[in-house]
Amino acid sequence: MGMGEHYGIRGDFRLHDARFRSLAPPNAFVEKLYTGARWAEGPVYFPGGDFLLFSDIPNNRMLRWVPDGAGPGCVLEFRKPSNFTNGNTRDGQGRLLSCEHGTRSVSRTGHDGRRTVLASSFEGKKLNSPNDLVAGPDGAVWFSDPTYGILSDYEGYAAEPEYGGRYVFRIDPASGRVEAVVTDFVQPNGLAFSPDGKRLYIADSGASHDAEGPRHIRSFQVSDGRLQGGEVFATVDAGIPDGLRVDVLGNVWTSAGDGVHCFTPQGELLGKILIPEPVANLEFGGPRGNRLFITATTSLYSCYLAIAGAGFHALLPG
């Protein structure tokens, strides 16, 4: 089989490097679990309950997917209105963390269902529209703050930016202080830590509204709550990078216009999972952490891989 050729029983995978075969076996395939969203985003898997939450931003709701044996599973409404929630993740205690366009804030939902605002302003001025977030090994919450949610009334409420930038922030776990850690992005988007927590990958999706804008992922070294470096790690060749995740070997799986792209820790393209709709985000889940859930425009897709997402070794038995 030549480089760039399709394989898999439904032709859902494109091989760019032979090493991709060990991550996405030839008998793997993509299945559609749900359709009916306007812009599906922010998938987050909860191992304790074996369910997935994801956002449908323009419809101002969050949905919950649960498996039902051999079928595609069942999707029910989880929260409406959702404050136009975009990205979601879990914190170290298994609580839901969310980026809300409607309130221009980052919130936490406790196990008792109570909502707590973790961040809504920077230096006395409103945030733009928090987009995606990740919890660090030390309990800090890192989030991106582009302007997508205030550009129109489609995914939030049209408004003017207040602090004048599009930054990446860190919420200190002890003091709750909101600190700008990167200030030179055009439109910062998805975030993901390397397995050891020493590297933070951040997507810049500036090409979404400017054809000459960035469509790449940058890599930063993390030390004592500070970031260093920021060199371009990888550039997608279709659409823009939005959300991303990292597997246990440190490979980076990112959303793109034609599906999901997989890069080595050195930024080499290994292969793609082809999806018929532009992909917004993805999440590792399932009982063994090797099921990739993919939110793509109107639909939720998934496929099984031969590798688990980073962090699942600490959540699963044995």
Side-chain angles (χ1 to χ4, degrees), residues 104 126-130 145-147 150 161-163 165-167:
R104 301 168 71 167
K126 288 183 180 179
L127 298 173
N128 296 321
S129 54
D145 191 39
T147 54
I150 57 174
E162 292 196 4
Y163 66 83
R166 300 170 180 88
Y167 296 170

Side-chain angles (χ1 to χ4, degrees), residues 39-297:
W39 182 247
E41 256 282 11
V44 54
Y45 178 76
F46 288 85
D50 189 19
F51 66 87
L52 182 93
L53 298 180
F54 63 102
S55 301
D56 181 5
I57 307 175
N59 283 323
N60 197 16
R61 63 179 180 166
M62 290 179 66
L63 301 172
R64 171 174 169 160
W65 172 88
V66 294
D68 64 354
C74 176
V75 171
L76 301 171
E77 202 166 81
F78 172 76
R79 178 179 292 170
K80 184 177 177 69
S82 65
N83 294 325
F84 294 98
T85 289
N86 186 340
N88 300 283
T89 193
R90 303 180 310 272
D91 69 5
Q93 298 181 43
R95 296 172 296 189
L96 172 66
L97 301 177
S98 301
C99 287
E100 301 179 2
H101 284 182
T103 62
R104 301 168 71 167
S105 69
V106 173
S107 69
R108 180 181 66 219
T109 301
H111 296 301
D112 58 1
R114 294 183 181 179
R115 174 182 170 276
T116 301
V117 174
L118 302 182
S120 60
S121 63
F122 171 64
E123 296 183 343
K125 298 179 179 179
K126 288 183 180 179
L127 298 173
N128 296 321
S129 54
N131 186 286
D132 204 358
L133 73 175
V134 64
D138 62 352
V141 176
W142 305 68
F143 69 94
S144 58
D145 191 39
T147 54
Y148 292 127
I150 57 174
L151 291 177
S152 72
D153 291 323
Y154 188 63
E155 295 187 9
Y157 302 103
E160 292 297 320
E162 292 196 4
Y163 66 83
R166 300 170 180 88
Y167 296 170
V168 176
F169 293 99
R170 177 182 182 270
I171 305 173
D172 187 84
S175 66
R177 181 171 179 260
V178 178
E179 181 181 10
V181 289
V182 190
T183 61
D184 64 346
F185 274 77
V186 176
Q187 289 284 27
N189 210 312
L191 309 90
F193 279 102
S194 60
D196 61 7
K198 295 180 180 180
R199 188 164 294 277
L200 180 64
Y201 299 100
I202 309 175
D204 194 331
S205 55
S208 62
H209 288 70
D210 178 359
E212 301 303 317
R215 55 182 80 243
H216 56 228
I217 299 166
R218 295 170 60 185
S219 175
F220 295 85
Q221 295 174 343
V222 185
S223 178
D224 296 325
R226 299 289 185 270
L227 298 182
Q228 297 177 331
E231 63 276 6
V232 173
F233 165 75
T235 300
V236 302
D237 58 13
I240 58 172
D242 192 328
L244 57 151
R245 290 291 184 269
V246 178
D247 66 30
V248 292
L249 295 180
N251 299 305
V252 176
W253 301 73
T254 180
S255 56
D258 57 353
V260 175
H261 298 187
C262 177
F263 293 92
T264 68
Q266 292 73 40
E268 305 162 298
L269 178 64
L270 293 178
K272 299 181 179 183
I273 304 173
L274 302 177
I275 303 294
E277 305 178 77
V279 172
N281 220 318
L282 52 143
E283 167 79 331
F284 282 96
R288 300 183 63 188
N290 66 332
R291 188 173 191 178
L292 192 67
F293 293 94
I294 302 163
T295 50
T297 312

